[in-house]
Amino acid sequence: VLFSKPDSAFTLAKTLEKEAQKEKLPKRVGDALNIQGISFAIRGNLDSALYYYEKALEHNTKINYKDGIAGSYNNIGIYHKIKGNIEKSSTFFEKALVIRKELGVEKDIATSMNNVAISKMQLANYAEAAEIFTDCIQIQEKLEDYRGLSTCYNNMGIIYQEQKEFDKAIYYLEKSLEMKIKVDDKRGQANILKNLGSVKAEQKNHEEAMKDYFKAIPLCEETGSNFILASVYTNIGIDFN
């Protein structure tokens, strides 16, 4: 309901908030406030989303509901990321990570690690990002979170491409592709093949780059991934020139 019908989700969350207050269930009040914020974010009303995230944070802090506090920090971080304030978003993601490490729920820790590491990437703090991704990978391997692993491996590949360490970039991108195949994510496979082609093109290995691009094309067409397809054709055009 939350993602498919955010208007209905907001109304339902308001009802849940009132019932939780009546029944003196303060943690549920915090969860309801958080859902209200997410419902606004889905509809693109980011300032209203922030209002409810901050309201949830204030409430959760008052009752020392740590899981709720971490969730609020994470959502506020997402808000600032969408707004383009990466340094501020990173600060909130890091706050969420500290609490989630205290709570010890590994899936949540990995999520926060990934958010922090992506922020560090965007700020060009590549060494720090790679270190966090490496720690995140260890948790995801334990959890057998193949989708999460694919994301981390892909980002490691991008980091090494940025640093012109192309062999390492290819190693991590190929590992990412393995995970995408494992979970049958064809759109994801197309994106990783595009990234692999880009690295090989930078290596001046144009023949191998073209093989990856042409593997990506039917996957893009099958999944309707027009944005990735456009990028692939753009890269092919650049390579031919």
Side-chain angles (χ1 to χ4, degrees):
V1 174
L2 181 55
F3 290 95
S4 60
K5 297 179 180 178
D7 291 332
S8 300
F10 176 80
T11 304
L12 179 60
K14 270 291 186 187
T15 303
L16 290 173
E17 180 192 351
K18 289 176 184 176
E19 288 179 357
Q21 285 172 338
K22 193 183 297 182
E23 294 175 22
K24 296 183 179 179
L25 298 169
K27 289 183 179 180
R28 288 191 183 178
V29 172
D31 291 338
L33 288 168
N34 184 50
I35 292 168
Q36 289 167 50
I38 294 170
S39 75
F40 276 110
I42 293 166
R43 288 176 282 176
N45 191 337
L46 297 178
D47 291 336
S48 292
L50 181 62
Y51 169 79
Y52 282 100
Y53 295 154
E54 290 180 336
K55 196 173 178 181
L57 177 60
E58 182 181 0
H59 172 83
N60 291 331
T61 302
K62 188 176 178 181
I63 64 171
N64 198 30
Y65 175 26
K66 290 195 172 182
D67 191 34
I69 294 168
S72 296
Y73 280 146
N74 187 69
N75 288 335
I76 294 170
I78 292 169
Y79 166 86
H80 288 296
K81 181 179 179 179
I82 293 169
K83 286 286 190 177
N85 193 337
I86 305 303
E87 286 188 13
K88 202 164 185 178
S89 73
S90 184
T91 299
F92 281 101
F93 289 144
E94 287 175 46
K95 287 181 177 182
L97 178 57
V98 168
I99 294 172
R100 285 175 168 173
K101 281 182 175 180
E102 282 179 32
L103 295 173
V105 180
E106 290 186 319
K107 187 176 184 297
D108 293 342
I109 293 169
T111 297
S112 284
M113 279 183 166
N114 190 56
N115 288 341
V116 172
I118 289 171
S119 296
K120 299 298 181 185
M121 271 180 70
Q122 291 174 316
L123 294 167
N125 296 336
Y126 297 123
E128 196 174 352
E131 186 178 339
I132 298 167
F133 279 131
T134 300
D135 291 341
C136 188
I137 285 167
Q138 290 178 353
I139 294 172
Q140 288 167 332
E141 284 176 341
K142 183 179 175 183
L143 297 174
E144 297 184 343
D145 178 5
Y146 302 122
R147 291 183 186 277
L149 279 168
S150 178
T151 299
C152 283
Y153 289 145
N154 180 57
N155 287 328
M156 288 288 279
I158 291 168
I159 287 170
Y160 284 118
Q161 183 179 8
E162 288 290 334
Q163 296 177 318
K164 309 300 180 186
E165 296 187 52
F166 299 124
D167 289 341
K168 286 183 179 179
I170 288 170
Y171 169 78
Y172 279 105
L173 290 171
E174 286 179 345
K175 285 179 78 69
S176 179
L177 182 59
E178 284 176 21
M179 296 298 106
K180 293 294 187 187
I181 292 168
K182 196 175 188 77
V183 298
D184 196 30
D185 178 0
K186 292 182 179 178
R187 183 184 183 281
Q189 290 169 42
N191 190 51
I192 303 302
L193 286 164
K194 172 183 69 71
N195 292 346
L196 276 166
S198 174
V199 174
K200 290 170 185 177
E202 274 201 76
Q203 284 184 307
K204 308 300 181 186
N205 191 348
H206 298 294
E207 185 177 342
E208 290 300 315
M210 286 296 167
K211 286 180 183 178
D212 288 327
Y213 291 146
F214 281 103
K215 284 179 187 175
I217 289 170
L219 291 167
C220 289
E221 291 172 342
E222 183 180 344
T223 56
S225 304
N226 294 327
F227 181 78
I228 298 171
L229 184 61
S231 296
V232 169
Y233 280 130
T234 299
N235 289 353
I236 290 170
I238 291 167
D239 259 19
F240 271 123
N241 289 328

